[in-house]
Amino acid sequence: MSDALKRTPLADVHVAAGARMVDFGGWDMPVNYGSQIEEHHAVRRAAGIFDVSHMLNVDVEGPDATAFLRLLVANDVSRLTSPGRALYSCMLNPQGGVIDDLIIYFFTSTQWRLVVNAGTADKDIAWMQRVATSKKFDVKVTPRRDLAMVAVQGPQAREKVWAARPAWRASTESLIPFSAAILPDAMVARTGYTGEDGFEIVVPADQVAKLWHDLVAQSVQPCGLGARDTLRLEAGMNLYGQDMDELIHPNQAGLTWTVSLKDTDRRFIGRDAIEQFADPKVFIGLQLLERGVMRAHMAVRCAQGMGEVTSGTMSPTLGYSIGFARLPQGVTVGDTVEIDIRGKWVPARVCKLPFVRNGQPVQHG
């Protein structure tokens, strides 16, 4: 391992468990603990735990916190009025490109928490500080590297968490999706990146190893980045840097639903560019019809022209390759297109997302 790689508070736990560690955006992270396929199925059938402490919790506090966030992100945080409620949004540049996708939690009108991606954390903080300073917002942006985060996902995930932490049950049992319980020693959110039910749990960094061990003792399967990627792909969830980036508008990545244009007076950063942009591509799913595996950047040949795979993998749940693609306007669900896989054009069916919902395949015809 390079000395330059960052390590989460759970890094030694992963190594002791025999995880295969890889460089993931400058972080030393587990890709699997033996069988990526078994880890994937554990999440779909029971419960798995992921170290997501490389992602950054950011506290935004101050009298202007709400106004600052209404300018900063494309979704409208004023919709959140109950403590713990959350929404998913994109933070855009003035050209409408995605600086990052993130989850925002409401604590009070002057206290919020953002969870941003690991690979974009430094530029995210710099951008937030720049916006706050240039617009003279009375707001403080605080990166919280003193916190750690794990995701416990799967149909049995919540019961396993309550078995490991019985005191949390009363505060978290009635949580609806995209809401969190703000506890003295933790933030427990009913969110995730797998398409399954479960919690994402934020605790002080010095408490996360015990939480991890206690959950593993409840037969929760440790899972690495490999299973996380196949799970999110099946669930139709984008990966920053692959399905979108600073050159891609939200509507080019299937994220129009994360942009709120209802309040015409809310001129969030990037709004003008989005309103003026005519998108020549559609973002949609692909199911490979023959043997092979789709990967990012593979060319797609359609009757309407050329497109590109943005993410692709072999689906452990479905047994065939699935992917996301940006394709020419006019391509519709049910069409057959062709993917260039190592010089061979392989047929694929265009389909809606997601591919798997609540552990079950979604029928695409």
Side-chain angles (χ1 to χ4, degrees):
M1 183 193 78
S2 167
D3 290 339
L5 289 182
K6 301 172 187 174
R7 307 179 85 228
T8 78
L10 287 165
D12 290 339
V13 174
H14 304 317
V15 172
R20 185 164 74 88
M21 306 295 283
V22 298
D23 180 349
F24 181 73
W27 287 83
D28 194 34
M29 295 294 292
V31 68
N32 61 56
Y33 295 81
S35 170
Q36 176 180 324
I37 302 299
E38 289 180 9
E39 293 167 23
H40 179 106
H41 288 318
V43 174
R44 288 281 180 251
R45 298 167 183 171
I49 183 170
F50 300 83
D51 178 9
V52 288
S53 301
H54 58 312
M55 300 179 71
L56 179 61
N57 281 258
V58 182
D59 286 349
V60 174
E61 301 173 294
D64 294 339
T66 299
F68 168 67
L69 292 173
R70 293 192 81 210
L71 175 70
L72 187 74
V73 300
N75 215 335
D76 191 353
V77 300
S78 68
R79 295 163 45 195
L80 304 178
T81 56
S82 300
R85 289 305 305 273
L87 58 70
Y88 173 70
S89 187
C90 292
M91 184 166 63
L92 308 179
N93 59 30
Q95 295 75 40
V98 180
I99 294 174
D100 197 11
D101 65 320
L102 54 139
I103 295 180
I104 303 172
Y105 294 91
F106 173 82
F107 291 4
T108 73
S109 62
T110 60
Q111 294 177 296
W112 302 75
R113 177 166 292 169
L114 284 55
V115 179
V116 305
N117 282 304
T120 57
D122 290 344
K123 74 168 183 177
D124 288 357
I125 296 298
W127 176 250
M128 291 176 200
Q129 301 281 18
R130 178 179 167 187
V131 171
T133 301
S134 65
K135 300 298 182 181
K136 296 183 170 58
F137 283 112
D138 186 355
V139 67
K140 183 180 180 182
V141 177
T142 307
R144 296 295 304 274
R145 283 292 177 203
D146 59 315
L147 300 176
M149 185 162 64
V150 296
V152 189
Q153 303 280 289
Q156 299 174 16
R158 295 199 302 151
E159 292 287 347
K160 298 288 190 182
V161 170
W162 296 327
R165 291 292 181 274
W168 290 356
R169 183 163 193 151
S171 301
T172 62
E173 193 165 16
S174 62
L175 284 179
I176 62 173
F178 266 76
S179 65
I182 304 160
L183 308 176
D185 59 343
M187 184 180 82
V188 182
R190 199 171 175 187
T191 52
Y193 192 51
T194 63
E196 297 293 333
D197 201 357
F199 292 134
E200 290 181 310
I201 304 169
V202 180
V203 295
D206 61 1
Q207 297 179 21
V208 73
K210 181 169 178 14
L211 175 62
W212 181 280
H213 288 306
D214 289 347
L215 285 161
V216 171
Q218 295 295 330
S219 301
V220 178
Q221 169 69 53
C223 299
L225 295 171
R228 193 163 182 253
D229 193 55
T230 53
L231 288 159
R232 69 93 188 171
L233 252 162
E234 290 184 350
M237 296 178 174
N238 291 20
L239 175 63
Y240 188 85
Q242 207 160 291
D243 303 306
M244 72 284 202
D245 55 34
E246 293 196 28
L247 300 178
I248 298 296
H249 287 209
N251 58 341
Q252 294 175 291
L255 296 175
T256 304
W257 62 276
T258 71
V259 178
S260 177
L261 302 174
K262 290 181 180 179
D263 183 350
T264 56
D265 292 330
R266 188 177 71 95
R267 306 309 298 180
F268 60 83
I269 296 168
R271 178 168 184 154
D272 291 346
I274 285 177
E275 290 181 330
Q276 297 166 12
F277 182 71
D279 185 10
K281 300 281 188 181
V282 294
F283 187 81
I284 205 157
L286 294 175
Q287 168 192 337
L288 203 64
L289 298 177
E290 294 181 3
R291 292 181 63 182
V293 181
M294 288 181 282
R295 299 296 186 192
H297 308 301
M298 287 182 172
V300 184
R301 186 165 65 185
C302 318
Q304 296 82 359
M306 298 300 292
E308 184 181 55
V309 175
T310 61
S311 284
T313 193
M314 175 61 70
S315 164
T317 302
L318 303 175
Y320 50 75
S321 181
I322 58 174
F324 308 156
R326 263 186 285 278
L327 304 179
Q329 287 282 358
V331 175
T332 60
V333 170
D335 287 356
T336 298
V337 300
E338 293 179 305
I339 318 296
D340 182 1
I341 300 180
R342 295 187 297 278
K344 179 184 177 183
W345 291 100
V346 181
R349 179 183 294 117
V350 178
C351 53
K352 292 180 181 179
L353 300 172
F355 300 98
V356 176
R357 182 182 289 114
N358 298 325
Q360 299 300 315
V362 176
Q363 295 301 317
H364 291 295

